[in-house]
Amino acid sequence: MAVQLILDGFGVDTEAAVIVQTQPNDIIAVRRQIDRHLQLQSEALLRIRVNSHALFKRFSDYEGQNGVLPTQHLIPRVLLAQSLNIGLPIWLSDELIITLDLLQKGDFLTPHQSFETSLLIACDADLLSSDIHEFIVALTRQNTQFIQLLAVSAVKETFCRYIVSGLSLTEEIARFLLEELVKADDIKCFLHTLAYQQHLDCLRRFVSTHQLNQALPPKIYPVSLLQALPLLALPEKEANDLPDKFIKALHAAERSIPAQGIKPEAINDLLVDWPQLLSELAVLTSENATLITQALLDRLRTFSSQESRDLLTALQQRLDSYPLLDATAIVDDALNWSSAYFDYCRKAFLAKQPLDDLVNLSFSEWLLAQQARISRSGHDWRSVSDQACSYLEQAYTVVIIIVDALSALNQDILLDELNSLDYLTLRQQMLFSPLPTLTEVCKMAVLTGRPVSDQQSGNQEAILRHAYQNYLAEEKSLKVIQSWAESSERTERIEEQTQLMVLFENRLDERLHECPSFSKHREDIRPIIRQIKRSIMGWCKDAARLNKEVVFFITADHGMTVTQEQYAGQALGEVKERVYKLRSSAQMPNEFALVGDYAVPKKRCRLTTNAWLTHGGLTPEEVLIPFITLSSKPPLPNVTPLDLKLTDAPCIVIANKHWQIEVLLTATTTINNIQISFADPFNGKESIDSIRANRQQTIKINFNSTQDQEGLTEIELLLSYDCTDSHEKNTKRLSVKFPVALLEKDAGTQNFEDMF
């Protein structure tokens, strides 16, 4: 037999052969083996395979010798053409044949189909499926070699036609999808980016629909592409910072449910099967039972993670019933229980649904047994005067606003109105009011930190002056304002001598007893809190003018209860709201508790025929009162010599995908050679020669993007400038509200625009 030399630069030869390595010793050894084989005239065929022309030159002198067969040059295009018995298209290179493994696929040509179609089917038949889910799955199975195939215009055009006809996508979307695939280094990375952008688009639509104040990254893909494809799976560990953005929107939506009328079911649109997001939802639902809806449970059933199953089980149990308070609970646990209970019963009261008395009875029994522990905690009603004294010692002007009958049940309204006072530091907590929850027992006790029975006689001002005598050196150091009494403008202002100001706000309690429903009671609260807010804003201006630090306490004397039935038993004494003032030490019925000289009902019963909403009992919403602290704080210093922020001027559209914004530049020192540019995916630049120290300049900047944008979007500006003897660069992030497009782009609107 003979010697066969094989030049195989693409590694397509699969038969047994001696493979020549590039080391000199190996080349010499193979040559000796060839010589010996020729000398012995062996009957076996000796196949020698080399993988490069340079290596083949070391053996080319054997060509033409006796016993040496003609050299085989293995060229993929030739081999494939011979195998298929057809001429191959010019674009099908040797490299592409190898990367697509076409030599191993046999005769992949399909009848009545073009070569390009047959090639796509050979890669994966589901790529041409009319089911978009099968198409996506098939795409995920492709490797980087498939991207090389798509770079061929003939294949890309064929694939584009199938996507348009089979998946009912527009040609614009199909071409954009294929262009992005060709640009991608890896198909899985591209699909991950696409999944990320799809989830971001869902979040963007949620934020826009519910008008949440949250800036999001700009669009990099057309919305039509993101919404035309099914939502791709995005595991939490691959979602980068997206779970945090969803959580932020979840919190904003939860706060907006009572304030802006967002339905609790709306949060279902935010849910993704991410453990971190579901964990945050578990916390929110533990604090706000309003979020627990049947729609939420149905949504969780579509998820498959263990976290979603655990949360579903827990929420189903809570939806069926609310747990009783453990009789051995510590104060903090009781407050956490009450916070979630408020959300639970608020939802029931608004729906006019009765509550199980066993729930509030578990709190009442705990409350009566834990008075000593409560008094030692930081949540006792005496905390109001303790905090007031602490701030007075620090030379703050202290303003105490006590709103009669403002329950912690309605603290959400209070916080919603006060959150906009961002120049004040806000701190919130709940306090236990004195028992029983009657105005005559609670109001001055909360304000002075002493039970009413221990206070000296006199009017409110005299009692306050005695309680805080160590801090009221002058006659004008104390001011008392009563909502039911007329007062001059001077009386209602903070002056130089003012150390303590107390506002008695009684309008809510006056309306409470005539209020026909809980929802109407909630409506009564908001205008009162808004008036208080306006007063706080005015007092802040007074304090700033006088260079005084100021702190505001907003609290109540007691809360209120939505009653469910009329007490039908024998009267035990004088009726005081929802309790009896005892005439003597009569035997106490089982449905009442003895608190001092008062008989307090344990259930949600009323003692008069017309008071549906009243107070005097032991329910959580009567006993727990809000305690909000708002304190002044110094302004934050500038961190850079050049600051940039948006003005109030809106972002305007100046052309398709072109916008203009107005920004204000502030310099703390002289700044020169200012360059402003936009980070991707935006384009735009602006230059300014200089801004003098402590000066401002307003400029308008034009910019554009490859994608249309709308809604509140976070954009990044790059600043470069010279100051003193240095050159600095820094980045500013702005939240720009892009205007909503008036017309959806389609063929009709485009043809209309083309007429001009």
Side-chain angles (χ1 to χ4, degrees):
M1 293 295 287
V3 173
Q4 176 73 70
L5 297 175
I6 304 159
L7 175 57
D8 182 13
F10 294 93
V12 298
D13 183 37
T14 58
E15 297 182 31
V18 175
I19 302 173
V20 183
Q21 304 298 326
T22 58
Q23 291 81 4
N25 291 338
D26 189 59
I27 294 172
I28 294 172
V30 173
R31 288 184 65 89
R32 288 175 179 170
Q33 185 177 357
I34 294 173
D35 293 340
R36 187 165 51 253
H37 187 81
L38 292 173
Q39 290 173 358
L40 295 175
Q41 298 182 352
S42 171
E43 294 183 358
L45 175 65
L46 178 62
R47 302 179 80 248
I48 307 297
R49 186 164 69 233
V50 296
N51 60 11
S52 70
H53 283 281
L55 195 56
F56 179 75
K57 288 180 180 180
R58 306 296 296 271
F59 299 89
S60 60
D61 56 305
Y62 286 107
E63 290 186 302
Q65 293 186 23
N66 290 332
V68 177
L69 300 176
T71 301
Q72 287 187 355
H73 293 267
L74 299 184
I75 301 172
R77 277 184 59 86
V78 175
L79 296 174
L80 184 61
Q82 292 173 347
S83 172
L84 299 177
N85 196 25
I86 64 168
L88 300 180
I90 297 174
W91 53 261
L92 189 61
S93 64
D94 293 323
E95 291 78 11
L96 196 54
I97 291 172
I98 297 303
T99 56
L100 295 177
D101 200 23
L102 296 183
L103 293 175
Q104 304 303 319
K105 294 184 183 296
D107 186 3
F108 58 83
L109 295 180
T110 53
H112 312 298
Q113 299 282 6
S114 68
F115 184 85
E116 290 79 11
T117 301
S118 297
L119 195 54
L120 288 169
I121 294 174
C123 291
D124 196 317
D126 285 342
L127 288 171
L128 304 186
S129 171
S130 59
D131 186 308
I132 197 164
H133 295 279
E134 292 179 355
F135 167 78
I136 293 295
V137 172
L139 204 56
T140 61
R141 292 195 289 260
Q142 305 311 305
N143 52 27
T144 54
Q145 289 77 16
F146 184 72
I147 296 177
Q148 300 176 28
L149 181 62
L150 290 184
V152 178
S153 59
V155 177
K156 184 163 60 176
E157 289 299 320
T158 300
F159 200 21
C160 182
R161 289 195 298 272
Y162 275 96
I163 291 175
V164 171
S165 61
L167 302 181
S168 300
L169 300 179
T170 66
E171 184 176 347
E172 181 183 5
I173 293 175
R175 290 192 180 279
F176 185 88
L177 175 62
L178 294 180
E179 289 295 338
E180 292 298 315
L181 277 170
V182 171
K183 288 191 296 184
D185 294 330
D186 181 271
I187 290 180
K188 289 183 173 58
C189 290
F190 165 73
L191 292 175
H192 169 264
T193 303
L194 184 59
Y196 181 95
Q197 291 298 320
Q198 283 185 308
H199 284 76
L200 183 59
D201 180 64
C202 293
L203 177 59
R204 185 180 289 109
R205 281 182 282 140
F206 184 89
V207 167
S208 175
T209 299
H210 300 293
Q211 300 180 343
L212 304 181
N213 188 28
Q214 182 176 351
L216 297 173
K219 304 172 188 175
I220 63 172
Y221 293 149
V223 172
S224 54
L225 170 65
L226 301 176
Q227 298 179 10
L229 300 177
L231 188 64
L232 304 182
L234 183 65
E236 182 182 89
K237 62 182 180 181
E238 300 175 9
N240 302 330
D241 60 342
L242 210 49
D244 292 334
K245 297 182 186 298
F246 271 75
I247 288 171
K248 182 178 179 181
L250 181 63
H251 280 276
E254 189 269 340
R255 291 193 299 269
S256 299
I257 286 174
Q260 300 179 15
I262 295 179
K263 293 183 178 180
E265 291 79 4
I267 68 168
N268 298 350
D269 297 332
L270 269 181
L271 297 187
V272 185
D273 198 359
W274 292 333
Q276 185 180 351
L277 180 60
L278 296 180
S279 175
E280 200 66 28
L281 177 63
V283 173
L284 286 180
T285 51
S286 69
E287 299 171 349
N288 185 353
T290 307
L291 302 178
I292 307 174
T293 63
Q294 190 58 50
L296 172 60
L297 302 185
D298 293 340
R299 174 68 170 163
L300 290 174
R301 288 190 182 95
T302 65
F303 296 160
S304 58
S305 68
Q306 185 61 47
E307 290 82 3
S308 64
R309 291 193 291 269
D310 292 343
L311 181 58
L312 175 62
T313 301
L315 295 185
Q316 184 67 66
Q317 292 174 349
R318 287 195 58 198
L319 191 63
D320 295 339
S321 63
Y322 194 81
L324 306 183
L325 178 60
D326 188 339
T328 62
I330 62 174
V331 173
D332 285 343
D333 289 343
L335 289 173
N336 290 334
W337 177 91
S338 299
S339 179
Y341 162 82
F342 285 154
D343 295 322
Y344 170 75
C345 67
R346 188 188 300 122
K347 178 181 178 181
F349 292 156
L350 290 173
K352 297 183 178 180
Q353 297 174 347
L355 294 183
D356 187 348
D357 269 321
L358 288 176
V359 180
N360 84 264
L361 283 174
S362 69
F363 175 86
S364 300
E365 297 294 346
W366 176 90
L367 178 72
L368 293 172
Q370 300 293 340
Q371 282 298 294
R373 177 179 284 178
I374 292 171
S375 65
R376 295 192 301 269
S377 73
H379 298 279
D380 183 59
W381 51 271
R382 297 173 182 85
S383 294
V384 176
S385 63
D386 290 342
Q387 289 288 322
C389 291
S390 175
Y391 276 95
L392 286 168
E393 288 176 357
Q394 300 175 55
Y396 275 73
T397 293
V398 175
V399 180
I400 305 176
I401 303 164
I402 187 161
V403 184
D404 203 328
L406 179 61
S407 169
L409 172 65
N410 297 308
Q411 185 162 309
D412 60 317
I413 299 177
L414 188 62
L415 294 173
D416 181 59
E417 292 293 338
L418 298 177
N419 274 330
S420 60
L421 299 175
D422 51 8
Y423 47 86
L424 296 174
T425 302
L426 186 149
R427 184 169 65 91
Q428 59 168 312
Q429 63 181 123
M430 291 189 296
L431 302 180
F432 293 85
S433 68
L435 301 180
T437 51
L438 297 173
T439 301
E440 63 190 53
V441 173
C442 301
K443 182 168 289 185
M444 296 310 298
V446 170
L447 284 171
T448 63
R450 297 180 181 178
V452 173
S453 58
D454 294 348
Q455 296 177 14
Q456 66 172 23
S457 59
N459 59 26
Q460 292 172 334
E461 183 172 345
I463 296 172
L464 288 168
R465 194 174 295 279
H466 177 76
Y468 294 97
Q469 56 186 321
N470 294 336
Y471 310 102
L472 306 176
E474 303 178 21
E475 183 69 22
K476 296 182 179 180
S477 297
L478 172 66
K479 286 193 174 186
V480 176
I481 305 171
Q482 299 166 325
S483 64
W484 63 88
E486 293 186 5
S487 58
S488 65
E489 182 181 354
R490 184 178 182 85
T491 304
E492 295 186 353
R493 296 183 63 176
I494 292 177
E495 297 180 303
E496 184 66 43
Q497 297 88 353
T498 306
Q499 291 300 117
L500 175 63
M501 177 185 287
V502 178
L503 168 61
F504 291 95
E505 177 53 75
N506 273 32
R507 287 176 293 173
L508 185 62
D509 186 66
E510 292 168 358
R511 301 176 186 181
L512 177 69
H513 305 291
E514 303 298 326
C515 196
S517 67
F518 177 67
S519 59
K520 179 60 173 64
H521 173 65
R522 300 256 300 172
E523 293 173 5
D524 289 342
I525 295 173
R526 198 171 291 275
I528 294 173
I529 300 304
R530 286 176 178 168
Q531 176 60 53
I532 291 173
K533 178 181 174 181
R534 288 192 290 270
S535 297
I536 289 174
M537 294 167 66
W539 289 328
C540 283
K541 292 178 181 178
D542 293 341
R545 186 181 66 254
L546 298 170
N547 198 28
K548 294 168 70 75
E549 298 290 347
V550 62
V551 62
F552 303 93
F553 298 130
I554 304 177
T555 188
D557 50 354
H558 54 73
M560 46 69 65
T561 280
V562 179
T563 61
Q564 294 183 173
E565 59 183 4
Q566 175 76 37
Y567 174 61
Q570 183 179 0
L572 303 178
E574 180 186 359
V575 175
K576 294 280 189 178
E577 307 296 352
R578 211 168 77 86
V579 303
Y580 284 117
K581 181 71 177 290
L582 298 176
R583 302 190 186 99
S584 60
S585 56
Q587 185 175 0
M588 191 65 54
N590 291 333
E591 60 265 40
F592 282 81
L594 179 64
V595 178
D597 296 331
Y598 299 92
V600 185
K602 295 181 179 179
K603 296 185 177 181
R604 296 179 177 277
C605 63
R606 54 188 173 275
L607 305 184
T608 58
T609 57
N610 59 348
W612 296 90
L613 277 70
T614 184
H615 55 88
L618 302 173
T619 63
E621 58 269 34
E622 286 187 83
V623 173
L624 291 170
I625 56 176
F627 184 41
I628 306 297
T629 303
L630 294 160
S631 57
S632 57
K633 60 179 180 180
L636 295 174
N638 288 329
V639 295
T640 60
L642 182 65
D643 188 36
L644 180 148
K645 64 180 181 180
L646 286 171
T647 68
D648 293 334
C651 172
I652 61 174
V653 179
I654 58 177
N656 184 30
K657 301 178 185 176
H658 287 69
W659 302 271
Q660 183 183 86
I661 57 173
E662 186 177 87
V663 298
L664 177 67
L665 293 168
T666 303
T668 57
T669 185
T670 299
I671 305 294
N672 299 306
N673 302 322
I674 303 170
Q675 302 289 330
I676 305 172
S677 60
F678 287 76
D680 290 337
F682 298 104
N683 294 296
K685 293 183 179 180
E686 187 64 47
S687 301
I688 303 169
D689 291 337
S690 65
I691 301 179
R692 293 165 58 187
N694 301 316
R695 295 295 180 90
Q696 293 182 324
Q697 183 171 336
T698 301
I699 61 171
K700 295 180 179 179
I701 309 178
N702 297 339
F703 63 103
N704 61 77
S705 172
T706 56
Q707 300 300 324
D708 202 1
Q709 310 287 338
E710 66 179 56
L712 197 62
T713 302
E714 185 179 80
I715 67 174
E716 190 175 272
L717 291 179
L718 310 176
L719 298 184
S720 170
Y721 51 86
D722 297 326
C723 63
T724 59
D725 296 327
S726 65
H727 179 75
E728 294 187 6
K729 294 181 180 180
N730 57 62
T731 301
K732 296 292 182 182
R733 288 181 173 84
L734 304 178
S735 296
V736 175
K737 188 172 185 179
F738 287 86
V740 177
L742 296 179
L743 289 175
E744 188 71 26
K745 282 285 184 184
D746 56 24
T749 55
Q750 187 62 55
N751 291 337
F752 177 78
E753 290 183 0
D754 292 342
M755 294 171 60
F756 298 93

